[in-house]
Amino acid sequence: MSEQLEEILTRYARGDASQLIPALQQVQERFSYVSPEAVRQIARHLKVSESEVYGVASFYSQFRFEKPGKHTIKVCLGTACHVRRSDRLLEFFERTLNVTVGHTTADGLFSLERVACFGCCALSPVVVVDDEVHGRMTTAKAQRLLKKYGS
Amino acid sequence: MRTLDALRQEATQTWQALEQETRPRVLVGAATCGRAAGALAVIEAVEKARRERGLEVLVTEVGCLGLCCMEPVVTVYKPGRPAILYGNVTPPVMNEILQRWLLGDDPCLDRAIATVNGDRLDGIPPFHEHPMLKAQSRLILRNCGVIDPTNFHHYLARGGYLGLENALRMPPEMVIEQVKRSGLRGRGGAGFPTWRKWQLCREVPGSPKYIICNADEGDPGAFMNRALLEGDPHSMLEGMLIAGYAIGASKGYIYIRAEYPLAVQRLRTAISQMREAGLLGEHILDSSFSFDIEIREGAGAFVCGEETALIASIEGRRGMPRPRPPFPAQSGLWGRPTVINNVETLAAVSHILRDGPDSYARLGTSNARGTKTFSLAGKVQRTGLIEVPLGITLRQIIFDIGGGIAEGRAFKAVQTGGPSGGCLPASHLDTPVDYESLTAAGSIMGSGGLVVMDDRNCAVDIAHYFLSFTQAESCGKCPPCRVGTQRMLWILESIQAGTATMEDLDLLESLAQTVKAGSLCGLGQTAPNPVLTTLRYFRSEYEAHVRDRRCPAGVCRALITYRITDECTGCTLCARLCPMGAISGQRKQKHVIDPNRCERCGACLDACSYRAIVVN
């Protein structure tokens, strides 16, 4: 991992603290989360303290510090989705998968996340599994989705 | 100054060749919204017909036409015949259209929405006369859903970069003067005159100067910027170049949400096309103007829509706002003069410099010139992306363009301006949509999200929804916002739980005023708006929660019960879906809900196709 990390970090000028967020984004894209080791190496490379790296990364909702599951389910909780009761969908996933939002199922198959708005408001409510957007969702459709990705 | 003439000539030929194409063409709206509705499967269906049946047909991915409620939408050009726009196209429907219309001679009018290019066909309105489009004026969106957003020729052929060429022939001050004459005000929400921001930045000493495009669009319920960047990225980029030239900037940043991967991809493609055409770099088109653009992806913080927070984020820090003045135009990114404009503002600039300021200023009202894009969502029949002249009323938008409330329900409220805005009731439907009128009604224009609510939406629940959003997104720097929104949220929760008193309502109102007056940035200053407007227009609903322990809209869980009526056919679907095992009954016989086990999650309500479950 550390060599791959080094390889990513060489794209950013040493000591350029303004590259902190893009560096975190690249690291997360490659490893799907930001590990303690990644934080250490980013801090060393950009010459900022580790606590500053954590401070910035934890401020933004994009960054994860836990390894995510095989599939990520994102439930959109934007306004249009909310008025079409996306809270019910989130609750359905929480109950069915026995996991709370922001975490991964015990079998490592699904991570459950929420997004503030996915910008597909006209097709609300929206659920995104990995990179696939599913519009006009219902509980019954959600059940089918889990079957599709769970097998 | 070198011009793009040769390139544009080539582009015009490409475009004309397309119009004279002898093969049929299929345009599929494949922006993120179209994809969510299944556009990629439709494209695959056409490709398959081409491969397997040897059907000679050209397929093009275009952006969103704005008719999101009918997605996926497909335009079919059959040479020598009227072009037809179809809606709700699934792969089987696509195959049917290919079979009946392209191989046969039946235009499948049962699937058609409109004709394109001004042609008429029995019973099918031309595009611009479709009820959803009639009241619209599409300047900003004119290319969306029409051109291939990855094809530079398409943008050029339709007048692209003429605005930049015009600008480069003028001194920068004159460009600012043109924008002043157009009356353009910032489309990000606050409505500050664009020219004044530019002039301030131009006059301030200091270099380099920066222009930042704010494409963060964090408002839940808004997707105008996403659709524009996915459907016509160059229109914003051209505006960014013009703005950069006008203020004397040498570098531009696009700050865009990471949640919009397709928009980011479209921008990257467009930027590399610009570089190749000499529209970025040193001495653009052999002029004295040198400029470059860099994309920065946001990392999911709503507060970064706030200028000073956005700057902090680009600098690699936590996105926390700072007090103003100094304004970013005086001291912005790395302490240099910086202008931050919204995507739509910049797209309007390219239009203004191409067609002249008067063409823009003749639309709208005396105080709010031009057009504004809105994303129309929620409980309205026709949801989608629209562009209307300012001054149009909410009623025209919701009922004429949106077709009224879905499922024959009653209109209750419209939320304008996202979490910073407010909910306006039916008595305000004739409010003209402009900055001042909406502010007078207690709401704001905001970036342009319009979410329509019907009688099944609870005013308290909506206020709670927005406040929990802003509370979670508060950066925590100033106490009125950090502590105040939290305290307000607790009161709203007690109202929803049926444990609040009438005094709590007064406390909620006075806290809201304090947070509004005392917060450091726009997030905190506007966070109480949804609470204040719902208290103002739906106070009786709050009182029903507090006094009668009742939620009239049937939403707040602690105050409602579910019941199954005699309409129940005993299909067992609800019982199988209920996560609590609270529903029981024999097959083909009426079921019952055990109120002690029921958690009012609503899964049964969604699933029942006989409307046999009611909320009391």
Side-chain angles (χ1 to χ4, degrees):
Chain A
M1 192 186 212
S2 80
E3 276 158 38
Q4 281 177 305
L5 265 168
E6 262 321 306
E7 196 265 317
I8 291 173
L9 290 173
T10 50
R11 291 177 221 172
Y12 304 100
R14 216 163 246 288
D16 183 358
S18 80
Q19 296 294 332
L20 177 51
I21 295 167
L24 282 163
Q25 283 169 330
Q26 281 296 326
V27 166
Q28 176 156 306
E29 198 178 311
R30 174 74 74 88
F31 302 105
S32 67
Y33 75 113
V34 180
S35 63
E37 188 191 353
V39 170
R40 263 195 306 278
Q41 264 182 264
I42 291 172
R44 212 175 304 141
H45 187 85
L46 299 179
K47 299 202 177 7
V48 293
S49 69
E50 278 180 45
S51 63
E52 185 160 359
V53 177
Y54 270 119
V56 169
S58 61
F59 181 83
Y60 297 97
S61 62
Q62 185 186 12
F63 300 112
R64 281 188 293 257
F65 303 101
E66 258 180 57
K67 196 172 166 56
K70 189 173 164 204
H71 299 293
T72 304
I73 300 174
K74 294 181 192 144
V75 180
C76 181
L77 296 180
T79 319
C81 291
H82 176 79
V83 304
R84 289 189 179 274
R85 304 310 301 264
S86 58
D87 55 334
R88 290 180 186 162
L89 290 171
L90 183 66
E91 193 176 316
F92 168 81
F93 285 119
E94 285 188 327
R95 276 182 203 280
T96 316
L97 297 173
N98 192 22
V99 66
T100 51
V101 74
H103 296 281
T104 304
T105 52
D107 60 4
L109 197 52
F110 292 106
S111 292
L112 187 61
E113 288 178 14
R114 47 181 290 174
V115 279
C117 181
F118 205 76
C120 281
C121 315
L123 296 165
S124 62
V126 173
V127 169
V128 184
V129 185
D130 301 332
D131 286 324
E132 211 175 318
V133 185
H134 302 268
R136 297 172 184 139
M137 283 297 291
T138 60
T139 323
K141 272 166 107 177
Q143 212 168 28
R144 287 202 291 275
L145 267 186
L146 286 185
K147 270 200 194 117
K148 180 180 155 194
Y149 286 97
S151 51
Chain B
M1 187 188 95
R2 183 165 67 89
T3 59
L4 292 170
D5 281 348
L7 210 55
R8 194 171 285 112
Q9 215 165 3
E10 203 182 317
T12 310
Q13 279 164 8
T14 311
W15 189 255
Q16 280 168 352
L18 205 57
E19 282 177 335
Q20 288 153 11
E21 180 60 56
T22 52
R23 287 168 294 179
R25 288 191 295 135
V26 175
L27 268 54
V28 183
T32 301
C33 43
R35 289 172 185 221
L40 296 182
V42 172
I43 292 174
E44 178 50 34
V46 185
E47 296 284 2
K48 202 169 163 206
R50 200 167 62 168
R51 277 196 313 269
E52 291 175 5
R53 295 196 275 165
L55 196 65
E56 282 267 353
V57 56
L58 285 174
V59 202
T60 313
E61 269 186 43
V62 294
C64 177
L65 260 184
L67 310 170
C68 305
C69 54
M70 304 165 209
E71 293 201 88
V73 294
V74 170
T75 315
V76 179
Y77 289 82
K78 182 174 173 173
R81 306 298 299 271
I84 304 174
L85 181 71
Y86 299 95
N88 298 308
V89 180
T90 56
V93 171
M94 191 69 241
N95 283 326
E96 191 189 325
I97 295 168
L98 295 177
Q99 185 71 35
R100 280 165 64 193
W101 181 220
L102 292 189
L103 294 171
D105 199 38
D106 169 6
C108 300
L109 293 185
D110 47 326
R111 307 274 184 200
I113 300 171
T115 58
V116 188
N117 288 352
D119 297 317
R120 281 172 186 279
L121 208 60
D122 286 345
I124 304 297
F127 187 64
H128 299 286
E129 284 176 29
H130 185 279
M132 189 163 177
L133 284 134
K134 221 168 171 177
Q136 295 195 40
S137 301
R138 292 164 74 93
L139 305 180
I140 311 290
L141 300 178
R142 67 186 191 106
N143 284 330
C144 283
V146 177
I147 64 167
D148 174 355
T150 63
N151 191 327
F152 189 38
H153 278 171
H154 286 190
Y155 182 70
L156 279 181
R158 289 179 51 94
Y161 289 103
L162 278 173
L164 175 70
E165 290 180 347
N166 288 339
L168 291 179
R169 284 190 202 99
M170 303 172 193
E173 292 79 8
M174 203 146 112
V175 177
I176 296 177
E177 182 61 29
Q178 298 275 305
V179 174
K180 183 180 180 182
R181 269 179 55 197
S182 76
L184 177 66
R185 295 169 64 174
R187 294 294 188 242
F192 190 79
T194 304
W195 72 272
R196 205 178 293 160
K197 206 188 235 183
W198 287 12
Q199 191 168 45
L200 190 63
C201 185
R202 170 152 197 92
E203 285 169 353
V204 174
S207 89
K209 288 177 181 171
Y210 298 103
I211 168 103
I212 298 174
C213 168
N214 182 352
D216 197 40
E217 197 167 55
D219 275 20
F223 54 88
M224 303 81 53
N225 295 348
R226 171 187 65 70
L228 183 59
L229 292 174
E230 286 175 357
D232 189 19
H234 282 287
S235 66
M236 184 286 286
L237 290 164
E238 180 179 357
M240 208 166 162
L241 280 179
I242 295 169
Y245 173 70
I247 64 168
S250 53
K251 173 127 195 206
Y253 287 91
I254 303 169
Y255 190 82
I256 181 166
R257 306 185 74 193
E259 288 91 335
Y260 287 174
L262 188 63
V264 174
Q265 191 187 320
R266 293 278 187 267
L267 281 170
R268 289 198 198 286
T269 307
I271 287 172
S272 70
Q273 289 164 344
M274 290 169 78
R275 200 153 276 146
E276 219 166 282
L279 289 165
L280 285 178
E282 298 293 312
H283 299 288
I284 291 167
L285 301 179
D286 296 337
S287 70
S288 59
F289 176 50
S290 299
F291 191 75
D292 213 340
I293 291 177
E294 190 178 324
I295 295 177
R296 285 296 181 97
E297 288 184 47
F302 178 65
V303 69
C304 289
E306 191 69 29
E307 290 188 325
T308 54
L310 191 157
I311 288 171
S313 182
I314 294 186
E315 290 173 352
R317 296 181 285 124
R318 293 180 145 221
M320 288 195 177
R322 61 156 177 80
R324 300 177 301 179
F327 291 95
Q330 302 157 311
S331 173
L333 191 60
W334 293 297
R336 308 290 179 201
T338 304
V339 161
I340 302 183
N341 282 143
N342 164 270
V343 172
E344 192 181 340
T345 313
L346 293 169
V349 164
S350 51
H351 171 85
I352 290 163
L353 267 292
R354 188 187 61 239
D355 291 359
D358 300 332
S359 75
Y360 195 75
R362 81 187 150 76
L363 291 167
T365 68
S366 58
N367 247 337
R369 304 251 181 226
T371 62
K372 174 84 193 80
T373 59
F374 289 99
S375 51
L376 189 54
K379 305 284 183 68
V380 71
Q381 284 218 18
R382 291 190 286 261
T383 54
L385 173 72
I386 62 167
E387 180 178 356
V388 289
L390 284 167
I392 190 170
T393 64
L394 288 168
R395 187 188 303 279
Q396 282 173 292
I397 293 180
I398 295 164
F399 288 86
D400 297 348
I401 297 176
I405 310 305
E407 296 170 38
R409 307 292 301 203
F411 172 84
K412 176 166 187 172
V414 57
Q415 165 78 25
T416 79
S420 322
C423 283
L424 301 178
S427 58
H428 282 65
L429 275 172
D430 292 310
T431 305
V433 176
D434 64 60
Y435 297 94
E436 282 71 25
S437 306
L438 287 175
T439 306
S443 186
I444 58 163
M445 172 89 85
S447 55
L450 288 176
V451 183
V452 177
M453 294 165 208
D454 68 11
D455 54 349
R456 283 171 302 176
N457 291 119
C458 166
V460 182
D461 172 70
I462 293 300
H464 176 266
Y465 166 77
F466 282 115
L467 202 67
S468 54
F469 178 81
T470 40
Q471 189 274 323
E473 292 292 338
S474 168
C475 80
K477 185 172 181 173
C478 72
C481 178
R482 183 181 66 237
V483 186
T485 55
Q486 178 66 73
R487 188 72 190 86
M488 286 170 69
L489 196 61
W490 285 339
I491 298 177
L492 283 168
E493 277 164 8
S494 68
I495 296 171
Q496 289 195 289
T499 57
T501 63
M502 292 303 279
E503 288 73 51
D504 287 334
L505 286 190
D506 298 332
L507 178 61
L508 179 63
E509 196 153 16
S510 92
L511 265 170
Q513 299 293 1
T514 308
V515 172
K516 205 174 161 76
S519 291
L520 174 65
C521 81
L523 190 147
Q525 286 157 9
T526 57
N529 280 351
V531 174
L532 286 168
T533 48
T534 46
L535 270 172
R536 178 164 158 193
Y537 297 119
F538 300 96
R539 197 170 187 105
S540 62
E541 208 171 329
Y542 276 87
E543 289 173 359
H545 283 72
V546 176
R547 241 188 230 138
D548 314 332
R549 309 267 182 264
R550 197 170 62 81
C551 174
V555 173
C556 298
R557 285 184 180 192
L559 309 176
I560 56 171
T561 51
Y562 279 29
R563 187 168 58 83
I564 299 181
T565 68
D566 293 340
E567 304 290 307
C568 176
T569 62
C571 77
T572 75
L573 186 61
C574 59
R576 278 181 283 144
L577 214 55
C578 177
M580 302 308 294
I583 304 179
S584 56
Q586 295 289 317
R587 175 169 270 281
K588 296 195 178 169
Q589 276 172 23
K590 188 184 158 187
H591 281 50
V592 285
I593 299 178
D594 176 356
N596 297 320
R597 294 173 84 176
C598 173
E599 292 227 333
R600 276 86 72 189
C601 70
C604 55
L605 200 67
D606 286 342
C608 182
S609 31
Y610 303 97
R611 298 195 175 204
I613 298 170
V614 291
V615 183
N616 292 103

